[in-house]
Amino acid sequence: MKITIIGTGYVGLVTGACLAELGNDVFCLDVDQKKIDLLNSGGIPIHEPGLEEVVARNRAAGRIQFSTDVAASVAHGEVQFIAVGTPPDEDGSADLQYVLAAARNIGKHMTGFKVIVDKSTVPVGTADRVTAALKEELATRGAAASFSVVSNPEFLKEGAAVEDFMRPDRIVIGHDNSPEGEKAAAKMKKLYAPFNRNHERTFWMDVRSAEFTKYAANAMLATRISFMNELANLADHVGADIEAVRHGIGSDPRIGHSFLYAGAGYGGSCFPKDVQALERTARQYSQDLLILRAVEAVNDKQKLVLGRKVLARFGADLSGKHFAVWGLAFKPNTDDMREAPSRELLRQLIDAGATVAVYDPVAMAEAKRVLALDLTPEELARVRFADSPMDTLTGAEALIIVTEWKAFRSPDFDRIKAALAHAVIFDGRNLFEPEAMAEAGFEYHGIGRSILTRT
Ligand code: UDX
Protein backbone atom coordinates (compact mmCIF):
# COMPACT_ATOMS: atom_id res chain seq x y z
CA MET A 1 0.00 0.00 0.00
CA LYS A 2 1.02 3.61 -0.43
CA ILE A 3 1.58 5.12 2.99
CA THR A 4 2.51 8.60 4.14
CA ILE A 5 4.01 9.19 7.56
CA ILE A 6 3.96 12.74 8.85
CA GLY A 7 6.73 13.31 11.40
CA THR A 8 10.00 11.40 11.48
CA GLY A 9 10.46 11.32 15.25
CA TYR A 10 10.59 8.13 17.24
CA VAL A 11 7.14 6.88 16.40
CA GLY A 12 6.99 8.09 12.81
CA LEU A 13 10.36 6.78 11.79
CA VAL A 14 9.86 3.36 13.37
CA THR A 15 6.35 3.07 11.91
CA GLY A 16 7.51 4.13 8.46
CA ALA A 17 10.55 1.88 8.44
CA CYS A 18 8.62 -1.16 9.67
CA LEU A 19 5.72 -0.65 7.23
CA ALA A 20 8.27 -0.37 4.39
CA GLU A 21 9.89 -3.59 5.64
CA LEU A 22 6.53 -5.29 5.10
CA GLY A 23 6.57 -4.23 1.45
CA ASN A 24 4.60 -0.99 1.57
CA ASP A 25 5.64 2.11 -0.38
CA VAL A 26 6.33 4.66 2.36
CA PHE A 27 6.76 8.43 2.10
CA CYS A 28 8.08 10.12 5.26
CA LEU A 29 7.49 13.83 5.64
CA ASP A 30 9.10 16.20 8.11
CA VAL A 31 9.32 19.98 8.35
CA ASP A 32 12.90 19.71 9.59
CA GLN A 33 15.09 19.91 6.48
CA LYS A 34 18.22 18.94 8.44
CA LYS A 35 16.57 15.75 9.66
CA ILE A 36 15.42 14.88 6.15
CA ASP A 37 18.92 15.54 4.76
CA LEU A 38 20.39 13.30 7.44
CA LEU A 39 17.92 10.50 6.66
CA ASN A 40 18.54 10.88 2.93
CA SER A 41 22.27 10.53 3.51
CA GLY A 42 21.79 7.27 5.41
CA GLY A 43 21.92 8.75 8.92
CA ILE A 44 19.45 8.14 11.75
CA PRO A 45 18.57 10.98 14.15
CA ILE A 46 17.95 8.69 17.15
CA HIS A 47 19.58 5.67 18.73
CA GLU A 48 17.20 2.75 18.35
CA PRO A 49 18.48 -0.82 18.01
CA GLY A 50 17.86 -2.29 14.55
CA LEU A 51 16.33 0.86 13.06
CA GLU A 52 19.33 1.92 10.99
CA GLU A 53 19.48 -1.46 9.25
CA VAL A 54 15.74 -1.50 8.46
CA VAL A 55 15.85 2.05 7.07
CA ALA A 56 18.98 1.33 5.00
CA ARG A 57 17.53 -1.89 3.57
CA ASN A 58 14.27 -0.25 2.54
CA ARG A 59 15.92 2.89 1.21
CA ALA A 60 18.07 0.71 -1.00
CA ALA A 61 14.97 -1.17 -2.15
CA GLY A 62 13.22 2.15 -2.91
CA ARG A 63 10.40 1.41 -0.46
CA ILE A 64 10.99 4.42 1.79
CA GLN A 65 11.67 8.05 0.92
CA PHE A 66 12.17 11.16 3.05
CA SER A 67 11.05 14.62 2.03
CA THR A 68 9.78 18.01 3.17
CA ASP A 69 7.39 18.27 0.21
CA VAL A 70 3.90 18.53 1.74
CA ALA A 71 1.92 18.37 -1.52
CA ALA A 72 3.84 15.27 -2.64
CA SER A 73 3.32 13.60 0.74
CA VAL A 74 -0.44 14.14 0.62
CA ALA A 75 -0.62 12.91 -2.97
CA HIS A 76 1.39 9.79 -2.10
CA GLY A 77 -0.44 7.93 0.66
CA GLU A 78 -3.94 6.50 0.62
CA VAL A 79 -3.25 6.18 4.34
CA GLN A 80 -1.76 9.23 6.07
CA PHE A 81 -0.26 8.61 9.51
CA ILE A 82 0.02 11.65 11.74
CA ALA A 83 3.01 10.92 14.00
CA VAL A 84 4.15 14.40 14.99
CA GLY A 85 5.05 15.51 18.51
CA THR A 86 2.50 16.37 21.17
CA PRO A 87 4.68 18.18 23.70
CA PRO A 88 3.16 19.14 27.04
CA ASP A 89 1.64 22.60 27.12
CA GLU A 90 2.40 24.85 30.09
CA ASP A 91 -0.55 23.37 31.99
CA GLY A 92 0.46 19.76 31.26
CA SER A 93 -2.12 19.14 28.55
CA ALA A 94 -0.92 17.81 25.20
CA ASP A 95 -0.15 20.58 22.72
CA LEU A 96 -2.01 19.66 19.55
CA GLN A 97 -0.74 22.43 17.27
CA TYR A 98 1.49 20.09 15.23
CA VAL A 99 -1.22 17.42 14.90
CA LEU A 100 -3.77 19.97 13.73
CA ALA A 101 -1.28 21.63 11.37
CA ALA A 102 -0.61 18.21 9.81
CA ALA A 103 -4.35 17.69 9.40
CA ARG A 104 -4.76 21.09 7.77
CA ASN A 105 -1.96 20.33 5.32
CA ILE A 106 -3.72 17.15 4.29
CA GLY A 107 -6.98 19.09 3.88
CA LYS A 108 -5.24 21.72 1.76
CA HIS A 109 -3.94 19.23 -0.80
CA MET A 110 -6.02 16.06 -0.73
CA THR A 111 -8.04 14.70 -3.62
CA GLY A 112 -9.95 11.42 -3.45
CA PHE A 113 -10.45 9.28 -0.35
CA LYS A 114 -7.85 9.33 2.45
CA VAL A 115 -7.54 7.46 5.71
CA ILE A 116 -6.09 9.79 8.33
CA VAL A 117 -4.50 7.88 11.20
CA ASP A 118 -3.84 9.54 14.55
CA LYS A 119 -0.66 7.73 15.65
CA SER A 120 0.61 10.42 18.00
CA THR A 121 -0.57 10.08 21.58
CA VAL A 122 -3.46 12.50 21.67
CA PRO A 123 -6.18 13.28 24.21
CA VAL A 124 -9.61 11.72 23.91
CA GLY A 125 -11.60 13.73 21.41
CA THR A 126 -8.65 14.69 19.19
CA ALA A 127 -9.93 12.74 16.19
CA ASP A 128 -12.98 15.00 16.22
CA ARG A 129 -10.75 18.07 16.17
CA VAL A 130 -8.67 16.59 13.34
CA THR A 131 -11.89 15.87 11.44
CA ALA A 132 -13.09 19.46 11.98
CA ALA A 133 -9.75 20.91 10.81
CA LEU A 134 -9.83 18.78 7.65
CA LYS A 135 -13.44 19.70 6.90
CA GLU A 136 -12.63 23.37 7.31
CA GLU A 137 -9.74 23.18 4.84
CA LEU A 138 -11.84 21.24 2.33
CA ALA A 139 -14.68 23.77 2.65
CA THR A 140 -12.25 26.66 2.10
CA ARG A 141 -11.12 25.03 -1.13
CA GLY A 142 -14.63 23.98 -2.05
CA ALA A 143 -13.21 20.47 -2.48
CA ALA A 144 -15.40 17.40 -2.14
CA ALA A 145 -12.76 14.81 -1.21
CA SER A 146 -13.80 12.33 1.48
CA PHE A 147 -11.84 10.92 4.39
CA SER A 148 -12.11 9.21 7.74
CA VAL A 149 -9.98 9.72 10.85
CA VAL A 150 -9.02 6.59 12.76
CA SER A 151 -7.07 6.24 15.99
CA ASN A 152 -4.21 3.76 16.05
CA PRO A 153 -2.10 4.45 19.15
CA GLU A 154 1.45 3.13 19.38
CA PHE A 155 2.74 0.98 22.21
CA LEU A 156 6.43 1.10 21.30
CA LYS A 157 9.08 1.00 23.99
CA GLU A 158 12.19 3.01 23.25
CA GLY A 159 15.15 0.70 22.86
CA ALA A 160 12.86 -2.09 21.61
CA ALA A 161 10.65 -0.12 19.24
CA VAL A 162 11.41 -2.06 16.03
CA GLU A 163 10.84 -5.36 17.79
CA ASP A 164 7.63 -4.04 19.41
CA PHE A 165 6.32 -2.86 16.04
CA MET A 166 7.18 -6.09 14.25
CA ARG A 167 5.82 -8.34 17.02
CA PRO A 168 2.97 -6.39 18.56
CA ASP A 169 1.08 -7.86 21.49
CA ARG A 170 -1.91 -5.88 20.32
CA ILE A 171 -2.99 -3.45 17.63
CA VAL A 172 -5.67 -1.01 18.69
CA ILE A 173 -7.76 0.64 16.01
CA GLY A 174 -10.61 3.02 16.67
CA HIS A 175 -12.94 3.98 13.83
CA ASP A 176 -16.48 5.23 13.42
CA ASN A 177 -19.33 3.32 11.82
CA SER A 178 -20.02 5.69 8.95
CA PRO A 179 -19.48 4.30 5.42
CA GLU A 180 -16.15 6.21 5.31
CA GLY A 181 -15.23 4.83 8.74
CA GLU A 182 -15.89 1.27 7.55
CA LYS A 183 -13.90 1.90 4.38
CA ALA A 184 -11.01 3.22 6.49
CA ALA A 185 -11.22 0.18 8.79
CA ALA A 186 -11.01 -2.13 5.77
CA LYS A 187 -7.82 -0.39 4.61
CA MET A 188 -6.31 -0.61 8.11
CA LYS A 189 -7.21 -4.28 8.24
CA LYS A 190 -5.34 -4.86 5.00
CA LEU A 191 -2.34 -2.83 6.16
CA TYR A 192 -2.01 -4.74 9.44
CA ALA A 193 -2.92 -8.16 8.00
CA PRO A 194 0.72 -9.40 8.12
CA PHE A 195 0.70 -9.07 11.92
CA ASN A 196 -2.48 -11.07 12.33
CA ARG A 197 -1.50 -14.20 10.41
CA ASN A 198 -0.75 -16.28 13.49
CA HIS A 199 -3.71 -15.04 15.47
CA GLU A 200 -5.85 -11.92 15.49
CA ARG A 201 -4.15 -9.19 17.49
CA THR A 202 -6.30 -6.26 16.48
CA PHE A 203 -8.82 -4.76 18.84
CA TRP A 204 -11.46 -2.82 16.95
CA MET A 205 -13.28 -0.15 18.89
CA ASP A 206 -14.73 3.32 18.68
CA VAL A 207 -12.31 6.20 18.23
CA ARG A 208 -12.55 7.66 21.73
CA SER A 209 -11.94 4.31 23.39
CA ALA A 210 -8.84 3.80 21.24
CA GLU A 211 -7.52 7.22 22.20
CA PHE A 212 -8.25 6.47 25.84
CA THR A 213 -6.60 3.03 25.70
CA LYS A 214 -3.18 4.52 25.07
CA TYR A 215 -3.38 6.78 28.13
CA ALA A 216 -4.86 4.03 30.26
CA ALA A 217 -1.98 1.70 29.38
CA ASN A 218 0.74 4.20 30.21
CA ALA A 219 -1.06 5.40 33.33
CA MET A 220 -1.40 1.82 34.59
CA LEU A 221 2.30 1.10 33.99
CA ALA A 222 3.38 4.35 35.64
CA THR A 223 1.11 3.51 38.58
CA ARG A 224 2.80 0.16 39.07
CA ILE A 225 6.21 1.82 39.14
CA SER A 226 5.25 4.56 41.59
CA PHE A 227 3.50 2.00 43.78
CA MET A 228 6.66 -0.11 43.96
CA ASN A 229 8.86 2.94 44.52
CA GLU A 230 6.71 4.05 47.41
CA LEU A 231 6.81 0.58 48.95
CA ALA A 232 10.59 0.44 48.37
CA ASN A 233 11.09 3.58 50.41
CA LEU A 234 9.03 2.06 53.20
CA ALA A 235 11.00 -1.19 52.89
CA ASP A 236 14.15 0.84 53.59
CA HIS A 237 12.62 1.95 56.88
CA VAL A 238 11.21 -1.36 58.01
CA GLY A 239 14.23 -3.41 56.94
CA ALA A 240 12.53 -5.41 54.18
CA ASP A 241 13.95 -6.18 50.73
CA ILE A 242 11.76 -4.83 47.93
CA GLU A 243 13.30 -7.32 45.50
CA ALA A 244 12.09 -10.24 47.62
CA VAL A 245 8.70 -8.54 47.87
CA ARG A 246 8.64 -8.06 44.09
CA HIS A 247 9.13 -11.78 43.52
CA GLY A 248 6.60 -12.58 46.20
CA ILE A 249 3.83 -10.56 44.62
CA GLY A 250 4.78 -10.93 40.95
CA SER A 251 4.19 -14.67 41.02
CA ASP A 252 0.49 -13.98 41.53
CA PRO A 253 -0.84 -14.17 37.95
CA ARG A 254 -3.25 -11.37 38.72
CA ILE A 255 -0.25 -9.13 39.39
CA GLY A 256 2.48 -10.50 37.09
CA HIS A 257 6.22 -9.80 37.12
CA SER A 258 6.53 -6.92 34.66
CA PHE A 259 6.94 -3.30 35.60
CA LEU A 260 7.43 -3.87 39.29
CA TYR A 261 11.02 -2.64 39.50
CA ALA A 262 11.67 0.00 42.11
CA GLY A 263 14.32 2.44 41.00
CA ALA A 264 15.30 6.04 40.47
CA GLY A 265 11.89 6.98 39.08
CA TYR A 266 10.41 6.75 35.60
CA GLY A 267 11.41 9.17 32.84
CA GLY A 268 11.24 9.31 29.06
CA SER A 269 8.96 10.90 26.57
CA CYS A 270 5.78 9.07 27.47
CA PHE A 271 4.98 8.30 31.10
CA PRO A 272 5.56 11.76 32.61
CA LYS A 273 3.79 13.50 29.74
CA ASP A 274 0.90 11.08 29.40
CA VAL A 275 0.12 10.88 33.11
CA GLN A 276 0.00 14.67 33.22
CA ALA A 277 -2.09 14.92 30.08
CA LEU A 278 -4.64 12.41 31.37
CA GLU A 279 -4.95 14.32 34.65
CA ARG A 280 -5.43 17.47 32.61
CA THR A 281 -8.13 15.85 30.48
CA ALA A 282 -9.91 14.75 33.66
CA ARG A 283 -9.83 18.27 35.04
CA GLN A 284 -11.41 19.56 31.84
CA TYR A 285 -14.37 17.32 32.70
CA SER A 286 -14.29 18.46 36.37
CA GLN A 287 -12.92 15.07 37.38
CA ASP A 288 -9.98 14.58 39.69
CA LEU A 289 -7.76 11.53 39.10
CA LEU A 290 -6.50 11.09 42.65
CA ILE A 291 -4.41 8.03 41.91
CA LEU A 292 -2.60 9.64 39.00
CA ARG A 293 -1.88 12.78 40.98
CA ALA A 294 -0.19 10.58 43.56
CA VAL A 295 1.65 8.60 40.86
CA GLU A 296 3.15 11.81 39.55
CA ALA A 297 4.01 13.20 42.99
CA VAL A 298 5.65 9.92 44.04
CA ASN A 299 7.71 9.90 40.85
CA ASP A 300 8.89 13.49 41.29
CA LYS A 301 10.03 12.56 44.79
CA GLN A 302 11.57 9.29 43.66
CA LYS A 303 13.91 11.03 41.25
CA LEU A 304 15.46 12.68 44.32
CA VAL A 305 15.82 9.53 46.43
CA LEU A 306 19.22 8.48 45.09
CA GLY A 307 20.68 11.96 45.59
CA ARG A 308 19.19 12.15 49.07
CA LYS A 309 20.87 8.87 49.98
CA VAL A 310 24.21 10.34 48.84
CA LEU A 311 23.63 13.52 50.86
CA ALA A 312 22.59 11.51 53.93
CA ARG A 313 25.79 9.46 53.69
CA PHE A 314 28.32 12.16 52.76
CA GLY A 315 26.75 15.29 54.28
CA ALA A 316 24.79 18.19 52.86
CA ASP A 317 27.96 20.01 51.83
CA LEU A 318 29.72 18.01 49.13
CA SER A 319 32.26 20.67 48.16
CA GLY A 320 35.64 19.13 47.48
CA LYS A 321 33.98 15.75 47.02
CA HIS A 322 33.91 13.85 43.74
CA PHE A 323 31.41 11.22 42.53
CA ALA A 324 31.22 8.72 39.68
CA VAL A 325 27.92 8.36 37.83
CA TRP A 326 27.12 5.43 35.52
CA GLY A 327 24.17 5.84 33.18
CA LEU A 328 22.55 9.06 31.99
CA ALA A 329 19.82 8.00 29.54
CA PHE A 330 16.35 7.57 31.08
CA LYS A 331 16.65 3.84 30.42
CA PRO A 332 19.04 1.47 28.62
CA ASN A 333 19.31 1.09 24.82
CA THR A 334 18.42 4.67 24.11
CA ASP A 335 20.18 8.03 24.08
CA ASP A 336 16.99 9.74 25.23
CA MET A 337 17.55 12.13 28.13
CA ARG A 338 14.00 13.41 28.38
CA GLU A 339 12.90 13.49 32.03
CA ALA A 340 15.88 11.29 32.88
CA PRO A 341 16.40 10.81 36.63
CA SER A 342 20.15 11.41 36.08
CA ARG A 343 19.38 15.07 35.46
CA GLU A 344 17.80 15.48 38.90
CA LEU A 345 20.68 13.60 40.53
CA LEU A 346 23.30 15.80 38.86
CA ARG A 347 21.38 18.90 39.91
CA GLN A 348 21.42 17.70 43.54
CA LEU A 349 25.13 16.82 43.50
CA ILE A 350 26.13 20.07 41.80
CA ASP A 351 23.93 22.15 44.14
CA ALA A 352 25.66 20.50 47.10
CA GLY A 353 29.06 21.54 45.68
CA ALA A 354 30.32 18.21 44.32
CA THR A 355 32.25 17.46 41.16
CA VAL A 356 31.22 14.43 39.07
CA ALA A 357 32.52 12.18 36.33
CA VAL A 358 29.77 10.66 34.19
CA TYR A 359 29.56 7.89 31.64
CA ASP A 360 26.81 6.46 29.44
CA PRO A 361 27.32 3.91 26.64
CA VAL A 362 25.32 5.88 24.03
CA ALA A 363 23.85 9.06 25.55
CA MET A 364 27.06 11.09 25.98
CA ALA A 365 26.43 13.49 23.08
CA GLU A 366 22.79 13.98 24.03
CA ALA A 367 23.76 14.40 27.70
CA LYS A 368 26.26 17.12 26.78
CA ARG A 369 23.54 18.93 24.89
CA VAL A 370 20.92 18.59 27.60
CA LEU A 371 23.17 19.30 30.58
CA ALA A 372 24.34 22.50 28.91
CA LEU A 373 20.69 23.60 29.21
CA ASP A 374 20.21 22.31 32.78
CA LEU A 375 23.43 23.73 34.23
CA THR A 376 25.27 27.05 34.07
CA PRO A 377 28.70 26.97 32.34
CA GLU A 378 30.37 27.11 35.80
CA GLU A 379 28.28 24.19 36.99
CA LEU A 380 28.88 22.24 33.79
CA ALA A 381 32.63 22.70 34.33
CA ARG A 382 32.24 20.49 37.40
CA VAL A 383 30.98 17.61 35.22
CA ARG A 384 33.60 15.50 33.44
CA PHE A 385 32.39 13.32 30.56
CA ALA A 386 34.45 10.16 30.95
CA ASP A 387 35.56 7.73 28.22
CA SER A 388 34.57 4.53 29.99
CA PRO A 389 32.84 3.37 33.17
CA MET A 390 36.20 2.73 34.84
CA ASP A 391 37.43 6.19 33.80
CA THR A 392 34.80 7.80 36.06
CA LEU A 393 36.02 6.18 39.24
CA THR A 394 39.44 7.53 40.18
CA GLY A 395 39.26 9.44 43.44
CA ALA A 396 35.46 9.31 43.65
CA GLU A 397 33.84 9.02 47.07
CA ALA A 398 31.29 6.62 45.64
CA LEU A 399 29.87 5.11 42.47
CA ILE A 400 26.26 6.03 41.69
CA ILE A 401 24.37 3.91 39.12
CA VAL A 402 21.35 5.56 37.51
CA THR A 403 20.64 3.51 34.34
CA GLU A 404 20.67 -0.29 34.16
CA TRP A 405 22.76 -0.75 31.01
CA LYS A 406 23.80 -4.38 30.51
CA ALA A 407 27.45 -3.28 30.46
CA PHE A 408 27.12 -2.23 34.12
CA ARG A 409 25.75 -5.53 35.37
CA SER A 410 28.91 -7.56 35.91
CA PRO A 411 31.70 -5.06 36.43
CA ASP A 412 35.14 -5.81 37.83
CA PHE A 413 34.42 -5.06 41.48
CA ASP A 414 38.09 -5.30 42.48
CA ARG A 415 39.00 -2.56 40.04
CA ILE A 416 36.08 -0.46 41.22
CA LYS A 417 37.17 -0.83 44.84
CA ALA A 418 40.77 -0.01 44.01
CA ALA A 419 39.82 3.14 42.10
CA LEU A 420 37.25 4.59 44.49
CA ALA A 421 38.29 6.63 47.53
CA HIS A 422 35.64 4.71 49.53
CA ALA A 423 34.10 1.40 48.54
CA VAL A 424 30.58 2.80 48.40
CA ILE A 425 27.97 2.09 45.72
CA PHE A 426 24.58 3.75 45.35
CA ASP A 427 22.57 1.56 43.03
CA GLY A 428 19.50 3.34 41.66
CA ARG A 429 18.41 0.23 39.72
CA ASN A 430 19.05 -2.57 42.20
CA LEU A 431 21.50 -4.34 39.90
CA PHE A 432 23.40 -6.13 42.64
CA GLU A 433 22.67 -8.27 45.68
CA PRO A 434 23.27 -6.51 49.01
CA GLU A 435 24.77 -9.63 50.64
CA ALA A 436 27.18 -10.21 47.74
CA MET A 437 28.21 -6.58 47.80
CA ALA A 438 28.87 -6.71 51.53
CA GLU A 439 30.98 -9.84 51.03
CA ALA A 440 32.90 -8.05 48.29
CA GLY A 441 33.67 -5.33 50.80
CA PHE A 442 31.31 -2.64 49.56
CA GLU A 443 28.99 -0.38 51.46
CA TYR A 444 25.92 -0.83 49.28
CA HIS A 445 22.86 1.41 49.05
CA GLY A 446 20.09 0.09 46.82
CA ILE A 447 16.48 1.23 46.54
CA GLY A 448 14.37 -0.48 49.18
CA ARG A 449 17.10 -2.97 50.07
CA SER A 450 18.40 -1.85 53.45
CA ILE A 451 18.11 -5.38 54.82
CA LEU A 452 21.68 -5.38 56.06
CA THR A 453 21.28 -2.25 58.12
CA ARG A 454 18.12 -3.56 59.80
CA THR A 455 17.98 -2.57 63.47
C1 UDX B 1 6.56 3.53 27.43
C2 UDX B 1 5.59 2.35 27.23
O1 UDX B 1 6.18 1.16 27.76
C3 UDX B 1 5.23 2.19 25.77
O2 UDX B 1 4.27 1.17 25.61
C4 UDX B 1 4.65 3.53 25.27
O3 UDX B 1 4.34 3.45 23.92
C5 UDX B 1 5.63 4.65 25.51
O4 UDX B 1 5.97 4.70 26.90
P1 UDX B 1 9.17 3.95 27.14
O5 UDX B 1 8.93 5.33 27.67
O6 UDX B 1 10.02 3.79 25.94
O7 UDX B 1 7.78 3.24 26.77
O8 UDX B 1 9.88 3.10 28.26
P2 UDX B 1 9.53 1.96 29.32
O9 UDX B 1 10.42 0.81 29.06
O10 UDX B 1 8.10 1.69 29.41
O11 UDX B 1 10.06 2.64 30.67
C6 UDX B 1 9.56 3.88 31.13
C7 UDX B 1 10.25 4.30 32.41
O12 UDX B 1 9.85 3.48 33.50
C8 UDX B 1 11.77 4.22 32.38
O13 UDX B 1 12.28 5.36 33.01
C9 UDX B 1 12.08 2.98 33.19
O14 UDX B 1 13.34 3.04 33.80
C10 UDX B 1 10.97 3.02 34.21
N1 UDX B 1 10.64 1.71 34.79
C11 UDX B 1 10.11 0.74 33.99
C12 UDX B 1 10.81 1.50 36.15
O15 UDX B 1 11.27 2.38 36.88
N2 UDX B 1 10.43 0.29 36.67
C13 UDX B 1 9.90 -0.70 35.92
O16 UDX B 1 9.56 -1.75 36.48
C14 UDX B 1 9.75 -0.48 34.52
Side-chain angles (χ1 to χ4, degrees):
M1 285 173 86
K2 289 187 131 197
I3 308 292
T4 291
I5 312 275
I6 306 159
T8 56
Y10 229 96
V11 175
L13 195 53
V14 171
T15 303
C18 292
L19 289 177
E21 181 81 348
L22 292 173
N24 295 291
D25 179 3
V26 177
F27 188 113
C28 292
L29 176 80
D30 205 291
V31 287
D32 185 343
Q33 183 69 54
K34 270 204 253 153
K35 217 186 228 183
I36 293 297
D37 291 345
L38 177 71
L39 287 160
N40 275 327
S41 63
I44 295 283
I46 50 171
H47 175 88
E48 185 61 42
L51 185 58
E52 197 166 348
E53 292 83 337
V54 181
V55 171
R57 194 161 47 236
N58 287 284
R59 234 166 51 89
R63 281 194 299 262
I64 191 164
Q65 54 181 308
F66 302 99
S67 168
T68 55
D69 186 339
V70 175
S73 83
V74 179
H76 180 89
E78 51 194 299
V79 181
Q80 304 262 325
F81 278 88
I82 300 181
V84 296
T86 51
D89 235 338
E90 269 160 35
D91 63 355
S93 61
D95 180 352
L96 292 180
Q97 61 165 314
Y98 304 109
V99 171
L100 296 174
R104 287 192 181 281
N105 278 338
I106 299 171
K108 278 190 185 105
H109 297 279
M110 69 184 262
T111 51
F113 180 74
K114 298 278 179 199
V115 181
I116 320 293
V117 186
D118 280 346
K119 194 76 179 159
S120 307
T121 300
V122 288
V124 179
T126 299
D128 292 343
R129 294 183 62 186
V130 168
T131 301
L134 274 152
K135 277 190 177 151
E136 227 176 84
E137 291 298 334
L138 288 175
T140 310
R141 286 200 290 134
S146 70
F147 67 90
S148 183
V149 179
V150 305
S151 167
N152 172 217
E154 54 84 15
F155 299 99
L156 309 175
K157 294 184 289 296
E158 291 188 24
V162 173
E163 174 73 13
D164 282 352
F165 195 97
M166 288 307 205
R167 288 180 222 281
D169 42 25
R170 84 285 214 190
I171 297 161
V172 169
I173 299 177
H175 68 101
D176 65 46
N177 293 329
S178 66
E180 290 80 13
E182 296 297 350
K183 200 168 154 189
K187 280 202 189 289
M188 295 301 281
K189 190 167 183 182
K190 190 171 148 209
L191 180 63
Y192 280 113
F195 300 105
N196 294 313
R197 282 166 62 93
N198 179 271
H199 64 272
E200 184 61 46
R201 290 167 216 264
T202 311
F203 293 92
W204 300 95
M205 53 185 81
D206 65 276
V207 175
R208 284 182 178 235
S209 300
E211 290 171 335
F212 206 155
T213 298
K214 171 61 197 261
Y215 283 99
N218 277 355
M220 169 64 108
L221 294 170
T223 302
R224 283 171 75 98
I225 298 170
S226 275
F227 176 77
M228 288 307 282
N229 282 334
E230 197 160 50
L231 293 197
N233 297 335
L234 180 60
D236 269 339
H237 286 283
V238 301
D241 180 2
I242 196 67
E243 280 297 293
V245 175
R246 179 174 68 78
H247 290 300
I249 63 172
S251 51
D252 181 334
R254 292 170 302 177
I255 296 176
H257 289 286
S258 305
F259 269 77
L260 291 181
Y261 292 91
Y266 61 74
S269 68
C270 287
F271 288 177
K273 180 169 76 86
D274 293 351
V275 166
Q276 259 190 32
L278 189 53
E279 280 178 72
R280 176 70 197 155
T281 299
R283 278 204 295 278
Q284 280 165 358
Y285 291 88
S286 306
Q287 302 296 306
D288 193 4
L289 296 183
L290 293 175
I291 292 178
L292 289 194
R293 268 208 279 149
V295 166
E296 199 186 345
V298 167
N299 195 57
D300 290 345
K301 216 170 83 189
Q302 194 65 20
K303 286 185 176 177
L304 304 175
V305 162
L306 203 50
R308 285 194 182 141
K309 282 179 189 264
V310 176
L311 293 167
R313 168 65 175 77
F314 287 97
D317 182 5
L318 298 179
S319 24
K321 294 198 163 72
H322 184 63
F323 292 89
V325 174
W326 285 6
L328 297 169
F330 86 96
K331 67 172 200 177
N333 298 325
T334 177
D335 63 348
D336 200 334
M337 291 287 295
R338 284 176 286 182
E339 310 274 345
S342 63
R343 296 168 72 170
E344 297 292 337
L345 171 77
L346 291 177
R347 170 47 63 217
Q348 286 168 292
L349 296 177
I350 295 290
D351 280 351
T355 56
V356 286
V358 299
Y359 176 76
D360 188 283
V362 303
M364 293 300 262
E366 182 60 6
K368 280 181 194 163
R369 188 187 73 78
V370 163
L371 293 177
L373 304 171
D374 286 359
L375 306 172
T376 65
E378 294 73 34
E379 289 171 339
L380 195 58
R382 286 196 267 136
V383 180
R384 184 169 71 79
F385 293 89
D387 292 328
S388 70
M390 289 300 162
D391 178 34
T392 60
L393 300 172
T394 314
E397 306 288 329
L399 164 63
I400 310 170
I401 301 174
V402 196
T403 318
E404 67 278 31
W405 285 94
K406 279 214 176 72
F408 302 157
R409 282 175 192 260
S410 303
D412 182 337
F413 286 113
D414 291 336
R415 273 184 73 192
I416 295 178
K417 208 155 68 174
L420 288 173
H422 305 285
V424 183
I425 295 183
F426 294 89
D427 179 356
R429 298 293 171 183
N430 289 343
L431 296 185
F432 310 126
E433 286 307 315
E435 288 87 351
M437 295 308 290
E439 266 167 39
F442 282 94
E443 181 186 316
Y444 178 73
H445 302 265
I447 305 286
R449 309 207 71 187
S450 304
I451 37 175
L452 299 181
T453 51
R454 198 180 302 167
T455 47

